[in-house]
């Protein structure tokens, strides 16, 4: 998630180089999935294709922007996009767009971060889920070069379709 990724980046880059204000990344990954029918949150099970195996090609791209707003305050924004293409089960091709923006503060022994995120997921071209999340947190540098961080994640998911007529996890009552 955004908070952990930021702390990992800072930890790995400390005393090596200053963070750039704008970065771009792109990549390709070949995955083997032994349970194609699980949706991204791994809570929904589709019995028709249980335990079906498939390979998928995943292309992804990332943009990061950071701007200092004084000595300790920083604005940050991120865009993450990915698209997967399955060999046999194209109905599970997933497109995901994740937008993040927020503020953070960094001090000598501690820091804080308040990211707000929007995520949009599409399966095989059909809208599936829109999510909004806020993940406030802080980190502390401990003696011995250790570091720890604490954060809470508050998320609201809106599902565009229900997988079974008896369950609509978005909490909306839909009548046909």
């Amino acid at each position: 998630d955004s908070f952990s990724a930021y702390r990992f980046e800072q930890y790995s880059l400390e005393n090596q180089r200053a963070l750039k204000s704008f970065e771009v990344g792109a990549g390709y990954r070949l995955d083997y999935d032994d349970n194609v029918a699980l949706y991204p949150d791994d809570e929904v099970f589709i019995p028709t294709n249980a335990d079906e195996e498939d390979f998928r090609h995943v292309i992804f791209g990332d943009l990061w922007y950071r701007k200092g707003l004084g000595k300790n305050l920083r604005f940050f924004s991120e865009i993450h996009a990915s698209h997967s293409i399955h060999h046999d089960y194209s109905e599970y091709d997933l497109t995901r767009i994740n937008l993040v923006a927020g503020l953070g503060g960094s001090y000598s022994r501690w820091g804080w971060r308040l990211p707000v995120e929007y995520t949009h997921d599409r399966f095989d071209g059909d809208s599936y889920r829109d999510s909004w999340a806020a993940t406030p947190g802080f980190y502390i540098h401990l003696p011995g070069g250790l570091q720890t961080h604490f954060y809470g994640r508050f998320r609201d998911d809106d599902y565009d379709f229900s997988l079974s007529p008896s369950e609509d996890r978005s909490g909306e009552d839909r009548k046909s």
Side-chain angles (χ1 to χ4, degrees), residues 66-174:
R66 301 168 198 86
K67 179 169 178 57
L69 302 175
K71 182 178 178 184
N72 299 317
L73 190 61
R74 179 177 294 270
F75 168 79
F76 58 91
S77 61
E78 306 167 10
I79 299 173
H80 308 283
S82 65
H83 180 68
S84 65
I85 302 167
H86 287 79
H87 278 238
D88 297 321
Y89 294 98
S90 64
E91 66 269 25
Y92 297 106
D93 290 353
L94 173 66
T95 302
R96 172 171 287 160
I97 299 170
N98 175 251
L99 308 171
V100 181
L103 294 173
S106 184
Y107 306 91
S108 63
R109 304 294 299 161
W110 69 283
W112 61 273
R113 186 164 159 92
L114 178 58
V116 176
E117 300 179 41
Y118 169 74
T119 303
H120 179 75
D121 293 324
R122 299 181 82 78
F123 275 104
D124 195 27
D126 293 326
S127 184
Y128 169 64
R129 176 179 60 199
D130 290 307
S131 297
W132 285 94
T135 312
F138 65 95
Y139 62 90
I140 302 170
H141 293 284
L142 301 173
L146 298 175
Q147 181 180 29
T148 187
H149 69 271
F150 304 91
Y151 62 91
R153 184 165 176 85
F154 306 95
R155 188 171 91 180
D156 178 53
D157 290 341
D158 182 23
Y159 293 84
D160 289 339
F161 64 84
S162 180
L163 297 174
S164 69
S166 62
E167 179 185 14
D168 182 357
R169 298 183 308 155
S170 68
E172 297 173 5
D173 184 23
R174 299 179 188 196

Side-chain angles (χ1 to χ4, degrees), residues 2-20 66 72 74 76 104-108 110-113 139 141 147:
S2 175
F3 190 89
S4 296
Y6 173 76
R7 285 309 313 138
F8 178 74
E9 177 186 45
Q10 286 234 321
Y11 180 75
S12 64
L13 296 176
E14 269 177 9
N15 300 321
Q16 293 181 24
R17 65 175 172 88
L19 293 175
K20 295 179 183 176
R66 301 168 198 86
N72 299 317
R74 179 177 294 270
F76 58 91
S106 184
Y107 306 91
S108 63
W110 69 283
W112 61 273
R113 186 164 159 92
Y139 62 90
H141 293 284
Q147 181 180 29

Side-chain angles (χ1 to χ4, degrees), residues 9-67:
E9 177 186 45
Q10 286 234 321
Y11 180 75
S12 64
L13 296 176
E14 269 177 9
N15 300 321
Q16 293 181 24
R17 65 175 172 88
L19 293 175
K20 295 179 183 176
S21 62
F22 182 76
E23 293 185 40
V24 177
Y28 165 82
R29 185 177 71 229
L30 177 64
D31 289 343
Y32 170 75
D33 190 345
D34 66 352
N35 201 352
V36 175
L38 287 179
Y39 278 73
D41 61 3
D42 295 334
E43 295 174 7
V44 180
F45 180 72
I46 303 172
T48 56
N49 288 338
D51 296 325
E52 295 296 336
E53 302 170 353
D54 200 357
F55 285 94
R56 73 175 158 246
H57 304 275
V58 182
I59 53 174
F60 54 91
D62 304 292
L63 296 169
W64 296 274
Y65 175 74
R66 301 168 198 86
K67 179 169 178 57

